Amino acid sequence: ICLSANGNDNKKFKGDDKMDGAPSRVLHIRKLPGEVTETEVIALGLPFGKVTNILMLKGKNQAFLELATEEAAITMVNYYSAVTPHLRNQAIYIQYSNHKELKTDNSLNQRAQAVLQAVTAVQATNAPISGTTVSESAVTPAQSPVLRIIIDNMYYPVTLDVLHQIFSKFGAVLKIITFTKNNQFQALLQFGDPVNAQQAKQALDGQNIYNACCTLRIDFSKLVNLNVKYNNDKSRDYTRPDLPSGDGQPTLDPAIAAAFAKETSLLAVPGALSPLAIPNAAAAAAAAAAGRVGMPGVAAGGNTVLLVSNLNEEMVTPQSLFTLFGVYGDVQRVKILYNKKDSALIQMADGNQSQLAMSHLNGQKMYGKIIRVTLSKHHTVQLPREGLDDQGLTKDFGNSPLHRFKKPGSKNFQNIFPPSATLHLSNIPPSVAEEDLRTLFANTGGTVKAFKFFQDHKMALLQMSTVEEAIQALIDLHNYNLGESHHLRVSFSKSTI
């Protein structure tokens, strides 16, 4: 080992934290925590390309890392000048070395070489070495910096930005790829450092992102490096903002995209998550743009008032809008516009709920017309002045006993589905038979295709022939009095019969 050269390096870099010096594929890393391993140092370089050599100076808390190309080293230095790298919660410093390559004496550096070989073998094949995972090969005790995340009970959309926001709390997130496999939303997420991945896994595995749903299941991936081709809402490489967005990507709804554009700059706000509630109002607003809801203790950002247009003005009433929109949130007020009766303003309890109602009801058919739902520029729905009759076009539902989401953690948060032809019925009294319910629902003007009681006969699934018929039946029969002080509860089901 050319210790004299290292000595020079140390003198040259004393107290000089700047990223000066000519670019080199050898990087000098300082202020390492005492117990840090070769694997952790190698992992700093892996996202940027092949790591070809490493030299640890344990006594000095320093290391040299050699990458295969100068270009990779430059990308790495540029990235870590924007995002301070941490190992074991301690900031470390990276700059170009004045060596052009590392000449290491293999006998002294054997352990480091073994680790490097193991890591690069895994990286090259992107497959476990001879059937063992990385963690069982020479790379012990550290793990892969890549986590595989599966989201169970995914009742609300979880976006790439939401994942970035949650996981950034544990360290620099370099890349995320999201995909659906076996009908499950999954993601691969790469940290700059396996220790951060380990901490995130320990802290988040089994946690819910939202109230009572969207449960995180986290494992280490066999991959040690992700290859991201496009930056869009499915995949992103935060180290390479220059990547194209890729063609044929489903673009976000313009309203949501606009809300995102406003808020995304605030998305990287790391905040303590409790369980994963995001305390920062701006972050919550960005989250609302992703259609989040049911997050305990979050004053949801985003607009609470919706503008609904192309309504059937002969048929629509504040009550029917209250019932339909009430499936996705607690409707506070409804106002059908006096001089434009095919439009209405609907005020929800929070921005998450208005976002959810918009994403599920825009484009659905109500009373034979395809309704349009957008965010309104109004922030509240005004009630008419005392004593002024507005023909019953405005109604305050603030104290309605029919709100579905008043109780935090209520089961209703877990049963929010898009409008579907199959309805879930509950609160059925023992005296009511299948025939009674079939007749009741057929009277709403549709055809009942199928019916099935649950074992206890208090609940049932009932399938209409179209989604439009099911929407109509829900509006007409939710809260219908079946006698014996039982009011029927109706919601959309994700099952079919």
Side-chain angles (χ1 to χ4, degrees):
I1 300 175
C2 345
L3 277 180
S4 60
N6 293 339
N8 296 347
D9 261 13
N10 296 335
K11 278 197 215 63
K12 173 176 181 260
F13 288 119
K14 267 227 167 63
D16 175 17
D17 285 2
K18 290 193 292 299
M19 298 280 178
D20 59 0
S24 156
R25 64 191 184 96
V26 179
L27 300 175
H28 181 208
I29 304 171
R30 295 174 305 124
K31 302 260 173 80
L32 289 169
E35 65 286 10
V36 79
T37 65
E38 280 92 346
T39 314
E40 290 168 75
V41 176
I42 292 169
L44 289 167
L46 281 181
F48 304 95
K50 191 167 154 60
V51 175
T52 47
N53 207 342
I54 179 172
L55 172 62
M56 300 283 280
L57 304 176
K58 280 275 166 61
K60 295 202 170 80
N61 297 76
Q62 298 183 6
F64 289 95
L65 193 66
E66 178 188 277
L67 282 87
T69 64
E70 202 168 279
E71 182 196 32
I74 293 170
T75 310
M76 177 168 163
V77 168
N78 290 347
Y79 177 73
Y80 287 128
S81 58
V83 177
T84 308
H86 284 77
L87 283 181
R88 310 203 173 202
N89 290 332
Q90 186 176 313
I92 57 171
Y93 297 91
I94 300 179
Q95 63 219 22
Y96 301 118
S97 159
N98 53 9
H99 296 297
K100 286 298 173 206
E101 60 179 320
L102 277 181
K103 296 185 175 61
T104 51
D105 174 334
N106 278 350
S107 61
L108 283 172
N109 204 24
Q110 235 165 353
R111 186 195 136 83
Q113 296 300 315
V115 172
L116 192 59
Q117 269 166 355
V119 173
T120 39
V122 174
Q123 198 181 8
T125 55
N126 270 349
I129 306 167
S130 64
T132 67
T133 58
V134 184
S135 52
E136 293 151 7
S137 66
V139 194
T140 48
Q143 304 272 9
S144 163
V146 180
L147 295 176
R148 189 180 67 142
I149 302 157
I150 295 178
I151 297 188
D152 283 340
N153 305 334
M154 183 153 156
Y155 296 112
Y156 307 119
V158 172
T159 62
L160 183 142
D161 291 298
V162 167
L163 291 172
H164 183 257
Q165 200 170 335
I166 290 167
F167 283 82
S168 293
K169 184 184 167 217
F170 298 90
V173 172
L174 306 189
K175 304 173 186 179
I176 306 179
I177 298 173
T178 64
F179 53 95
T180 303
K181 188 173 170 186
N182 309 333
N183 283 334
Q184 264 187 320
F185 178 82
Q186 303 195 15
L188 291 168
L189 182 145
Q190 180 172 342
F191 276 101
D193 176 353
V195 172
N196 298 140
Q198 194 146 16
Q199 290 164 339
K201 179 182 186 300
Q202 274 166 346
L204 298 177
D205 190 23
Q207 289 270 19
N208 292 335
I209 301 181
Y210 308 131
N211 204 354
C213 72
C214 297
T215 311
L216 292 163
R217 303 263 170 251
I218 305 174
D219 284 315
F220 289 103
S221 167
K222 292 194 176 73
L223 302 173
V224 288
N225 185 31
L226 300 178
N227 180 15
V228 176
K229 295 191 178 69
Y230 302 115
N231 281 344
N232 53 40
D233 54 359
K234 300 270 186 294
S235 63
R236 208 163 296 163
D237 182 337
Y238 295 91
T239 63
R240 298 199 48 204
D242 54 311
L243 286 177
S245 69
D247 291 320
Q249 275 308 115
T251 48
L252 277 175
D253 180 82
I256 297 179
F260 255 144
K262 274 216 291 293
E263 307 296 352
T264 313
S265 53
L266 303 158
L267 264 172
V269 185
L273 302 168
S274 57
L276 297 181
I278 294 165
N280 178 292
R292 317 169 69 135
V293 86
M295 294 184 50
V298 174
N303 202 338
T304 58
V305 180
L306 296 167
L307 171 64
V308 187
S309 53
N310 202 38
L311 291 163
N312 180 332
E313 54 186 272
E314 262 59 81
M315 305 289 291
V316 74
T317 61
Q319 185 64 46
S320 61
L321 290 168
F322 167 78
T323 304
L324 179 57
F325 281 74
V327 173
Y328 300 105
D330 294 339
V331 175
Q332 304 300 304
R333 293 176 179 178
V334 178
K335 183 188 209 77
I336 293 173
L337 303 184
Y338 185 76
N339 48 7
K340 198 174 180 334
K341 293 197 172 63
D342 71 345
S343 300
L345 294 174
I346 299 180
Q347 184 175 337
M348 307 296 284
D350 66 41
N352 296 325
Q353 296 181 0
S354 56
Q355 199 71 42
L356 206 60
M358 177 169 85
S359 61
H360 284 311
L361 294 175
N362 182 35
Q364 296 289 351
K365 261 187 170 178
M366 179 181 182
Y367 296 123
K369 297 190 76 171
I370 291 176
I371 63 171
R372 290 279 154 245
V373 185
T374 57
L375 291 173
S376 161
K377 55 182 188 298
H378 296 282
H379 291 290
T380 56
V381 169
Q382 296 297 323
L383 293 174
R385 290 197 299 283
E386 273 307 310
L388 190 74
D389 175 28
D390 74 343
Q391 306 172 0
L393 295 174
T394 308
K395 201 156 170 8
D396 186 358
F397 293 98
N399 297 321
S400 168
L402 294 184
H403 287 158
R404 297 179 188 234
F405 305 103
K406 276 209 293 279
K407 289 197 199 75
S410 145
K411 267 231 179 65
N412 293 339
F413 281 108
Q414 300 183 27
N415 294 317
I416 294 183
F417 303 111
S420 57
T422 308
L423 296 167
H424 179 276
L425 316 182
S426 60
N427 208 24
I428 303 168
S431 60
V432 171
E434 172 175 341
E435 211 34 62
D436 303 324
L437 289 165
R438 279 178 172 269
T439 308
L440 187 63
F441 278 77
N443 284 343
T444 63
T447 310
V448 177
K449 300 269 297 227
F451 182 93
K452 185 172 115 201
F453 264 122
F454 284 68
Q455 267 173 327
D456 61 3
H457 269 235
K458 289 180 188 151
M459 297 196 287
L461 291 177
L462 180 142
Q463 191 174 334
M464 303 298 286
S465 59
T466 65
V467 175
E468 186 188 354
E469 287 179 337
I471 288 176
Q472 184 63 55
L474 181 139
I475 290 171
D476 290 352
L477 295 174
H478 178 60
N479 201 42
Y480 181 86
N481 188 348
L482 290 171
E484 301 171 49
S485 74
H486 280 65
H487 286 79
L488 183 64
R489 296 260 161 274
V490 185
S491 51
F492 297 113
S493 169
K494 65 168 181 188
S495 316
T496 47
I497 305 172

